[in-house]
Amino acid sequence: MIMANKSSVWELNHRVLEEREKLVTRFIGLAKVGNTKNLKYLYALKIKPVDKMSRVELVAQPPDVTENPYFETIKQRTKTKPKETEVQTDQYFYAVSQKRGAGDGGGRRKMNWKLKKYEKQDNLSSTDDSTAAPSRVQEACWFCLGNPQVAKHLLVTIATHAYLALPRGPLVKDHVLILTVGHHQSWLTCPEVVQADIEAYKKSLRSMYKAEGKVMVAFERNFKTHHYQLQVVPVPFAVAGEVKKAFIEMSESWPNSPCKLEPLPKSSSIKDFCKPGIPYFYVELPTGEKLFNKVEKDRLSVSDVNFGRAVLASKTILNCPERINWRECTEDEATETELTANLREKFTAFDFA
């Protein structure tokens, strides 16, 4: 859509992490022809027919994309009175009690956070190519390995579909990130070959930590991020039994917790309770147990991206509260390069790649 008398260019999109990716709408601002200020009034368009484009090309998100400014207006106009029953929408699958009463926090609805499986017919169809899309690089993504702006000095090792990197401001010296080489938004959108590399890295890291008398804790924060990243942190074997309790208690009591974490049944996985496009928080414990829950819509804005770090930095686990926020404990590039080299040398004996 081309608009006259405007000088800005912006692009509108679906709600990120709340809706499935959609084709963007592009607005181009041009001045009137022959304007006295000599402002731009011509724009060259390179057009490719939609039927000649793959779904990956159709839903590609430009780096300067912004949300539709009319979402809230549309929401207000279409808002209906909720029924007092169990809610299961296309985007969120919670057992929600909407009855109001005294002692419910000033009239706010009470939430039953118990995990609820979504019906199979609500899942993406097997013919949908959103989960099987080929690896791609988004130029504005910090974590796409093909992006020239990636901090190469933090790379530890690279496999075919995933890689290890040192995070900025690590909690401990062997704290690492497992990331995908191509652009995949979460575990649920990673093809099986990518998931296989991620699992192989986790197995190798467990072995490395075990050799030093430590155990592995891993968590995925699938909100306020556009690229899959698994935080992997070693903790002393002596506190392994405290990790589950710490995550559950802080998820209930921390003001900026994204959700109340619940144990995943042993025979289930994330895909049984969630589908691509829905924000969630996921933890793998040293005991092999897993914690998980989806992030409710009205908690996205207040959810702290440092929640997982805060739990592990707590007094009962690593006792390093000064390192909760990675921005407050970053090192200079020379130090980061040295830390990465040391970790790379140590990991060599366990690397599967």
Side-chain angles (χ1 to χ4, degrees), residues 88 118-125 275:
Q88 187 179 55
Y118 66 84
E119 298 299 326
K120 294 299 181 182
Q121 60 266 27
D122 287 330
N123 198 1
L124 295 176
S125 67
K275 66 179 181 179

Side-chain angles (χ1 to χ4, degrees), residues 3-72:
M3 305 172 64
N5 298 322
K6 299 290 182 181
S7 59
S8 60
V9 176
W10 71 95
E11 293 161 345
L12 308 179
N13 196 16
H14 58 283
R15 286 190 183 277
V16 178
L17 284 184
E18 293 186 29
E19 297 176 344
R20 187 178 167 193
E21 291 178 326
K22 299 176 183 177
L23 181 65
V24 299
T25 300
R26 175 170 295 179
F27 291 82
I28 303 170
L30 299 175
K32 289 184 177 180
V33 176
N35 66 88
T36 57
K37 295 183 179 180
N38 199 29
L39 298 175
K40 183 176 181 179
Y41 61 87
L42 292 176
Y43 189 88
L45 296 173
K46 183 179 180 180
I47 300 175
K48 184 176 181 180
V50 172
D51 61 350
K52 302 296 183 182
M53 300 173 68
S54 66
R55 186 178 186 281
V56 173
E57 292 176 297
L58 285 171
V59 300
Q61 308 298 299
D64 56 347
V65 68
T66 59
E67 287 193 342
N68 188 327
Y70 303 109
F71 272 138
E72 292 303 320

Side-chain angles (χ1 to χ4, degrees), residues 121-244:
Q121 60 266 27
D122 287 330
N123 198 1
L124 295 176
S125 67
S126 58
T127 58
D128 193 309
D129 64 351
S130 61
T131 58
S135 296
R136 61 192 189 279
V137 174
Q138 289 202 0
E139 294 181 358
C141 180
W142 292 356
F143 302 110
C144 280
L145 202 55
N147 183 352
Q149 297 181 356
V150 168
K152 299 294 194 297
H153 70 285
L154 296 175
L155 298 180
V156 178
T157 179
I158 304 172
T160 305
H161 303 287
Y163 69 97
L164 284 189
L166 189 77
R168 304 294 305 278
L171 280 168
V172 290
K173 66 177 183 178
D174 290 338
H175 175 183
V176 298
L177 292 175
I178 301 178
L179 306 110
T180 56
V181 172
H183 193 78
H184 301 286
Q185 193 267 317
S186 71
W187 171 262
L188 294 175
T189 62
C190 290
E192 290 184 3
V193 290
V194 178
Q195 293 180 350
D197 273 6
I198 295 170
E199 291 294 340
Y201 269 133
K202 288 194 292 185
K203 182 178 179 180
S204 296
L205 287 168
R206 285 193 189 94
S207 298
M208 185 182 77
Y209 296 150
K210 183 179 180 180
E212 298 184 341
K214 300 176 183 178
V215 291
M216 186 184 87
V217 180
F219 62 88
E220 180 190 359
R221 170 183 57 83
N222 182 35
F223 63 89
K224 298 182 181 179
T225 182
H226 298 282
H227 191 112
Y228 174 83
Q229 50 183 298
L230 186 71
Q231 302 270 351
V232 184
V233 184
V235 301
F237 181 80
V239 300
E242 300 295 323
V243 178
K244 179 180 180 180

Side-chain angles (χ1 to χ4, degrees), residues 171 309-310 312-315 318-325 328:
L171 280 168
R309 292 176 63 104
L312 295 180
S314 63
K315 185 176 181 180
L318 295 174
N319 193 24
C320 54
E322 72 281 359
R323 303 190 74 82
I324 290 177
N325 189 334
E328 297 177 358

Side-chain angles (χ1 to χ4, degrees), residues 92-109:
Y92 288 81
F93 302 88
Y94 293 101
V96 180
S97 172
Q98 298 184 7
K99 293 183 179 180
R100 303 172 185 269
D104 64 353
R108 294 186 301 173
R109 67 184 184 185

